Amino acid sequence: MGVPQISNRSDRPAWSRRGLLALLGAAVPAVALTGCGASADASEGAGATATAAGSTKAKAKTPTFTVTPADGTKKADFTSPVEVAVANGTLSSVKVTGNDNSTLAGSLNDARTKWTSAKNPYSGTAYTVTAKASGADEHTSTFVTKSPGETFVGYFTPEANATSGVGMPVSINFTKAVRDRAAVEKAITVTAEPAVEVAGHWFSDTRLDFRPEEYWAAGTKITLSLRLKDVEGTDGVYGTQSKDVTFHIGRLQISTVDLAKRTMTVEREGATLATYPVSGGDADHTTWSGIMVISERFKQTRMESSTVGLGDEYDIKDVPHAQRLTTSGTFIHGNYWASTSVFGSSNTSHGCVGLHDAKGASDSSVPGYKFYESSMLGDVVIVKNSGEKTVDPANGLNGWNLSWADWKAGSAL
């Protein structure tokens, strides 16, 4: 019996290399098809997710507004600006209107998300704020500012619409002492037509005057602008005025009293109008020298020595044609009780400048009457050779005795 021959074939089918490659090649499309199917399913899922995200994005947040002071505030602060802010949007317009028909201007930041008023709101005023932003309904807010606890005002000279002489300053006297002079002076402007530089000078905590370097030109229109409302003059004390006042300057008249010669020369528009004999203060009661301005006028008035610290030396109830030159009591006035020969020859008064006049102030032929009729508030009267020093610039409306440099040095600005 021979040895059995062992076969190297198994029961598994035998694959040739070519057959295997053919089989793999046939399987690839199936795998690729399965892959495309799986890819298609994934794409459908991603598309659904994107649509949901788009739906969420479409529901953008509505702009919301914040107004300061807050809506409904009854005693809002008036020392800070009004602010309007928007979140989730940009502002297209803001309007702030007071119940006094005033409006507050303002500006937007670069991002247009915040508006700030250029000035503070006024005290004691109800405001309506209207704001608009894209994608939102118009927003309305209201508030009322509180009233200040203490206030001050400024009483001014000359009176509104008055016509004055070329020496009349604009003088303001405050009812409360001013501590923040710069803030108050900044809130007051005096302008002239024709234009000229006008500067302020503080004589005290309650008095501020304005004048140009030289006398006003004849025919000048002067405008005083008071913007004192809610300006804090001192701690917790606020101004109340916001107004414009106009004055006018009349003709140019300057009168020069020479007490060495005992005469007064009146010049109008540069030409001599009249020359009058006068009598000034005696050696014990010399008359102030310097530039003085007529600040008050009385056809007749009472003069008592006790009011100027001279005891009971005189009490004249009907002094005619009296025109005030200083607060301390210097007048240029008519005199009916002295001898006519006194005028032009000797100085016998208690400091005033006197002209011959008649009792009753009705005689038009006498110098006292004539000078009074030719004068007006604000006219300049210059006194020289009196034997007395120059009047204090604060004593009356007499700031012209200060140089322009010294005058401007008295400004708080």
Side-chain angles (χ1 to χ4, degrees), residues 19 37 254 342 396:
I254 307 242
V342 166

Side-chain angles (χ1 to χ4, degrees), residues 65-74 76 83 127-129 139-144:
F65 298 87
T66 301
V67 178
T68 306
D71 184 30
T73 303
K74 298 301 182 185
E83 294 182 347
Y127 285 94
T128 299
V129 180
H139 179 82
T140 301
S141 177
T142 62
F143 65 89
V144 180

Side-chain angles (χ1 to χ4, degrees), residues 75-88:
K75 293 183 178 181
D77 188 10
F78 58 83
T79 60
S80 300
V82 177
E83 294 182 347
V84 179
V86 66
N88 306 315

Side-chain angles (χ1 to χ4, degrees), residues 131-148:
K132 295 180 180 179
S134 56
D137 293 335
E138 183 176 271
H139 179 82
T140 301
S141 177
T142 62
F143 65 89
V144 180
T145 52
K146 62 184 178 182
S147 297

Side-chain angles (χ1 to χ4, degrees), residues 39-284:
S39 176
D41 290 343
S43 295
E44 287 177 5
T49 302
T51 302
S55 176
T56 302
K57 186 175 181 180
K59 295 180 181 179
K61 293 183 179 179
T62 302
T64 57
F65 298 87
T66 301
V67 178
T68 306
D71 184 30
T73 303
K74 298 301 182 185
K75 293 183 178 181
D77 188 10
F78 58 83
T79 60
S80 300
V82 177
E83 294 182 347
V84 179
V86 66
N88 306 315
T90 57
L91 292 165
S92 56
S93 68
V94 175
K95 186 175 182 181
V96 182
T97 306
N99 61 352
D100 57 356
N101 295 320
S102 65
T103 58
L104 290 180
S107 59
L108 290 163
N109 63 358
D110 291 341
R112 300 185 70 85
T113 57
K114 185 177 181 180
W115 179 94
T116 305
S117 64
K119 294 183 178 180
N120 298 338
Y122 287 130
S123 63
T125 305
Y127 285 94
T128 299
V129 180
T130 305
K132 295 180 180 179
S134 56
D137 293 335
E138 183 176 271
H139 179 82
T140 301
S141 177
T142 62
F143 65 89
V144 180
T145 52
K146 62 184 178 182
S147 297
E150 291 189 68
T151 61
F152 72 92
V153 298
Y155 290 102
F156 50 83
T157 297
E159 294 182 358
N161 302 314
T163 297
S164 306
V166 298
M168 179 63 78
V170 176
S171 183
I172 304 169
N173 287 274
F174 302 104
T175 55
K176 298 284 179 65
V178 173
R179 298 289 178 255
D180 192 344
R181 293 185 179 186
V184 170
E185 187 176 342
K186 186 177 180 181
I188 302 173
T189 56
V190 177
T191 55
E193 300 176 30
V196 65
E197 181 184 2
V198 181
H201 182 96
W202 289 88
F203 283 112
S204 70
D205 286 344
T206 58
R207 179 181 169 188
L208 171 63
D209 284 15
F210 290 86
R211 53 157 267 212
E213 182 174 4
E214 306 292 342
Y215 302 135
W216 304 102
T220 297
K221 177 184 176 182
I222 303 168
T223 300
L224 166 66
S225 295
L226 295 170
R227 296 295 180 267
L228 291 171
K229 186 172 175 61
D230 299 334
V231 173
E232 192 172 20
T234 192
D235 292 345
V237 183
Y238 297 88
T240 63
Q241 295 159 297
S242 183
K243 62 191 300 184
D244 293 330
V245 184
T246 58
F247 322 110
H248 295 84
I249 299 300
R251 78 288 178 278
L252 166 64
Q253 179 167 303
I254 307 242
S255 301
T256 302
V257 176
D258 186 338
L259 289 181
K261 297 179 178 179
R262 301 171 189 85
T263 61
M264 177 173 68
T265 302
V266 182
E267 293 184 326
R268 182 176 293 179
E269 308 299 346
T272 299
L273 181 68
T275 299
Y276 300 113
V278 299
S279 178
D282 62 25
D284 295 325

